[in-house]
Amino acid sequence: MLEAVPYDRGATDSDHREVGMSTGVTRSARHRALACLAAVGMTASLATFTQSTAAAAVAQPRPVEKTPIAVGSGGAVSSVDPEATAIGLEVLRRGGNATDAAVATAAALGVTEPYSAGVGGGGFFVHYDARTGEVGTIDGRETAPEAMPRDAFIDPATGEPYPLFPEMVTSGAAVGVPGTPATWDAALREWGTYSLSEALRPATHLARRGFVVDEEFRKQTLDNAERFSAITSTADLFLPDGDAPEVGSVFRNHDLARTYAELGRRGVDWFYTGPVADEIVETVQAPPLSGRTDLPVPEGHMTAEDMAAYEVLWPEPTRHDYRGYEVVGMGPPSSGGTTVGETLNILERFDLASMGQEKALHHYFEASALAYADRARYLGDESFVDVPTEELLSDGFAAERVCELDPTAAAPKPVAAGSADGDYDPSCADTGGTVVDRPDTEGPSTTHLSVVDRWGNVVSYTLTIEQTGGSGITVPGRGFLLNNELTDFSHVYDPADPNRIEGGKRPRSSMTPTIVFDDGKPWLVLGSPGGSTIITTVSQTLLNRIDFGMDLPTALAAPRATPRNTATVSAEPAFREAYGSALSGYGHEFSSSSEIGAMAAIEVSPDGTLQAVAEPERRGGGHAGVVRPAR
Ligand code: GLU
């Protein structure tokens, strides 16, 4: 059974407290509590229901089973977390639409996945409106403070960039103005039916009720223990008694519950111009240090004006065709849409399906490397640099770039970028370009959720606080971590680099929330965490599904490699085992990565049947659900 956190869209915040705490349960509160018990699958029957059972049920969450595949109708949600998926489904069940459910699910992920996403971060929201047939996107990317210096990531003691982890990321200077609260508000206003307050209510309750700590949560906390212990507010919240919460214990976040409740009640301006804004600024400018570690934790430059100036943007989605499907994704400052698009445009020139898996994978490696070369040359924040999005997605450019792809041998990496200038020569006479070799430093954190509602509206939403644990800096008393998204800028200033640090700019992202259309109707909804590997995870999954004949669950579970124009291709052990020696024959060299990505996807069949699919294994697996499971 799919499980839900108890909540009532019409109830007030104090009502929820009453259900959990009061011994004087009112009739309606009792009714709600009964519904809650049923929803969370507690064993108490109606006959044995008592006031104390109600209190115990709410106070004692239990581990929830994860289900990676669900098939049915009435709406679907796929995310990394069972509590979050259940909340999204409950919103859909109660008549909310895809946007309502996506915001409620994202807010729940802020509770259960606080190291991956939350109101201290940003993301990209892609929406399909079934009534109008339009796709709209929200760029809720974090923004650099106006005063961000070009040398923000250079250690004054050495003149060199700080080591990325934990020094550079654990830093006020890495924190961008958060975009997530504004994204939720904007999405609900544009496409939702819930108010912000209604959409946040289930997650508010979840934060207060708590969730059962699993191995992944404990592991992520321990992995970050040193830097978390450097910041008093973070240590107090995530390292109670100096240790990560035990597996099986209940983790509650009352500070976050209050933040959500107040954000809902007072509105998003409260976050950007009210007391929270001041507290964020204060925390960024003077992180609350415990003195327990030697981490430098540089101060940041964010001001109240930076907070107040934040706004989401509404860029055009990226669009291109691939073997008869239309792939729609996120434009700059995300590099996701263009890089997946260019990779697939190049590959479309080959009949991958009939050439055999190893040869097809060689083509994928080479096409992806070419697209990453162009990503490095061209992608950045369009408000600051010209990004030739249309050219990068054009068949003319792909026809020229394919000249660099040798079907029999791997090119030495890094390969040079092309010229996306509109003047293409598919004869392959002259294609020379510039090698752009800048290290990618995006963290392997982040989370993605996919939603389809009963009307056919779709949301594909990827959100993040960058590294696992973000900047490691919790806003005191507010229960959420601030991002370290500004480390997605290139660390060393180069005027030719579109992703160079500039005040007021948004760093380049790899987040790739995607919707694929078949004959004008949504067919696949997908996305993944994984920093710069997100792009290859999306490309490879599409190849698996479209070219290699895998069904969606198999396409998601299949072993991955992430060819990003680097000397060696990072690949999962199972991938190397299956294809390593054949691909070495083409000249590819490998390095190891224990796991790449963790996708959350939905497929809509022509008859409207929904198949929600979450990652089965990686990162502890995700959870997929549908409103009405098929028999
Ligand atoms: N900061 C990364 C990006 O915007 C996301 C981090 C991640 O996926 O771990 O692409």
Side-chain angles (χ1 to χ4, degrees):
M1 175 187 169
L2 293 162
E3 311 206 7
V5 171
Y7 80 101
D8 186 325
R9 189 182 169 198
T12 65
D13 204 43
S14 53
D15 282 332
H16 290 300
R17 248 192 313 270
E18 185 189 351
V19 172
M21 313 297 291
S22 165
T23 50
V25 181
T26 63
R27 192 161 180 275
S28 64
R30 180 173 182 274
H31 178 79
R32 279 198 297 275
L34 283 167
C36 296
L37 283 170
V40 296
M42 297 308 237
T43 51
S45 69
L46 294 188
T48 58
F49 175 79
T50 63
Q51 291 166 0
S52 61
T53 319
V58 176
Q60 292 175 14
R62 57 172 207 168
V64 187
E65 289 282 303
K66 290 182 175 180
T67 310
I69 305 171
V71 179
S73 59
V77 181
S78 183
S79 87
V80 74
D81 179 67
E83 303 267 20
T85 294
I87 280 178
L89 285 174
E90 189 58 14
V91 169
L92 294 178
R93 218 173 264 132
R94 290 168 182 245
N97 69 15
T99 296
D100 303 326
V103 174
T105 304
L109 290 168
V111 177
T112 55
E113 297 280 317
Y115 307 144
S116 295
V119 285
F124 296 100
F125 194 103
V126 179
H127 177 267
Y128 167 76
D129 186 323
R131 198 175 48 80
T132 62
E134 283 171 13
V135 176
T137 72
I138 300 178
D139 163 5
R141 185 68 161 167
E142 298 90 331
T143 303
E146 281 299 334
M148 185 173 187
R150 292 174 178 183
D151 60 357
F153 299 127
I154 306 295
D155 181 352
T158 63
E160 297 291 321
Y162 287 109
L164 178 65
F165 200 85
E167 285 83 347
M168 195 184 297
V169 298
T170 314
S171 161
V175 181
V177 177
T180 292
T183 303
W184 294 351
D185 186 60
L188 289 169
R189 282 175 196 279
E190 187 70 12
W191 302 303
T193 66
Y194 277 34
S195 66
L196 185 59
S197 162
E198 288 170 331
L200 293 180
R201 194 163 290 144
T204 306
H205 193 72
L206 174 62
R208 188 172 295 124
R209 189 207 70 177
F211 63 92
V212 177
V213 170
D214 63 8
E215 273 159 30
E216 187 66 22
F217 186 82
R218 179 167 168 84
K219 177 182 172 300
Q220 290 186 3
T221 313
L222 289 175
D223 288 349
N224 282 279
E226 184 202 345
R227 64 197 201 101
F228 282 4
S229 72
I231 312 289
T232 53
S233 46
T234 307
D236 290 348
L237 182 59
F238 295 114
L239 297 169
D241 306 320
D243 188 18
E246 292 292 344
V247 174
S249 67
V250 175
F251 185 82
R252 298 186 174 87
N253 190 338
H254 291 285
D255 288 347
L256 183 60
R258 275 190 296 274
T259 302
Y260 276 175
E262 238 176 316
L263 177 60
R265 222 173 16 248
R266 296 173 186 247
V268 78
D269 286 349
W270 170 77
F271 188 91
Y272 286 97
T273 60
V276 180
D278 293 339
E279 290 165 34
I280 290 175
V281 164
E282 207 176 299
T283 309
V284 166
Q285 290 187 3
L289 301 180
S290 66
R292 262 180 260 146
T293 78
D294 297 332
L295 281 175
V297 197
E299 295 167 357
H301 307 269
M302 194 187 293
T303 64
E305 289 71 38
D306 293 319
M307 284 294 296
Y310 187 84
E311 49 188 33
V312 298
L313 302 173
W314 304 83
E316 283 297 312
T318 58
R319 292 173 186 275
H320 65 98
D321 290 331
Y322 185 64
R323 304 201 196 278
Y325 300 103
E326 188 186 25
V327 182
V328 180
M330 200 64 223
S334 175
S335 56
T338 52
T339 311
V340 167
E342 184 184 339
T343 304
L344 296 182
N345 281 343
I346 295 170
L347 290 174
E348 201 173 18
R349 311 185 78 78
F350 301 93
D351 183 4
L352 297 185
S354 64
M355 67 172 55
Q357 183 85 348
E358 282 95 6
K359 191 165 187 187
L361 286 169
H362 162 68
H363 283 67
Y364 156 57
F365 277 23
E366 293 300 275
S368 182
L370 292 165
Y372 270 79
D374 297 322
R375 169 183 178 271
R377 175 167 181 184
Y378 288 114
L379 262 295
D381 179 349
E382 280 189 305
S383 306
F384 287 74
V385 293
D386 287 332
V387 183
T389 302
E390 225 172 282
E391 295 303 331
L392 289 168
L393 289 168
S394 70
D395 287 333
F397 185 54
E400 184 172 280
R401 292 301 274 152
V402 81
C403 296
E404 304 299 320
L405 196 161
D406 180 341
T408 60
K413 308 294 182 310
V415 296
S419 294
D421 54 8
D423 178 16
Y424 305 121
D425 176 8
S427 75
C428 300
D430 173 24
T431 60
T434 331
V435 173
V436 183
D437 192 11
R438 300 188 192 97
D440 257 323
T441 53
E442 295 161 36
S445 177
T446 304
T447 196
H448 177 84
L449 59 100
S450 295
V451 183
V452 176
D453 68 23
R454 70 178 84 161
W455 300 280
N457 302 304
V458 174
V459 173
S460 186
Y461 181 27
T462 314
L463 62 162
T464 187
I465 56 172
E466 216 313 267
Q467 287 286 343
T468 305
S471 66
I473 303 172
T474 300
V475 183
R478 298 298 183 185
F480 65 89
L481 284 156
L482 290 165
N483 68 83
N484 66 294
E485 214 69 53
L486 303 184
T487 60
D488 278 3
F489 283 125
S490 303
H491 301 158
V492 178
Y493 187 86
D494 169 0
D497 179 355
N499 193 35
R500 62 190 176 269
I501 294 174
E502 288 175 88
K505 190 176 181 181
R506 298 175 184 213
R508 181 178 63 212
S509 171
S510 299
M511 289 188 274
T512 313
T514 302
I515 305 176
V516 181
F517 292 81
D518 182 7
D519 205 14
K521 298 272 175 246
W523 173 50
L524 296 175
V525 190
L526 70 172
S528 174
S532 62
T533 71
I534 293 172
I535 295 165
T536 55
T537 293
V538 170
S539 300
Q540 198 183 340
T541 305
L542 291 177
L543 296 179
N544 288 345
R545 181 73 190 91
I546 296 172
D547 294 272
F548 304 148
M550 297 180 199
D551 60 18
L552 189 62
T554 313
L556 251 78
R560 296 191 180 118
T562 177
R564 289 168 293 157
N565 199 23
T566 44
T568 59
V569 176
S570 180
E572 294 175 340
F575 184 96
R576 290 181 72 172
E577 211 168 288
Y579 310 111
S581 68
L583 287 166
S584 297
Y586 287 88
H588 296 289
E589 291 178 38
F590 288 95
S591 53
S592 277
S593 188
S594 56
E595 51 185 39
I596 297 169
M599 196 162 257
I602 299 171
E603 179 165 328
V604 187
S605 303
D607 69 357
T609 302
L610 302 170
Q611 184 184 42
V613 186
E615 167 56 45
E617 297 285 342
R618 300 171 179 99
R619 296 191 190 198
H623 189 73
V626 292
V627 170
R628 275 195 303 281
R631 288 185 190 277

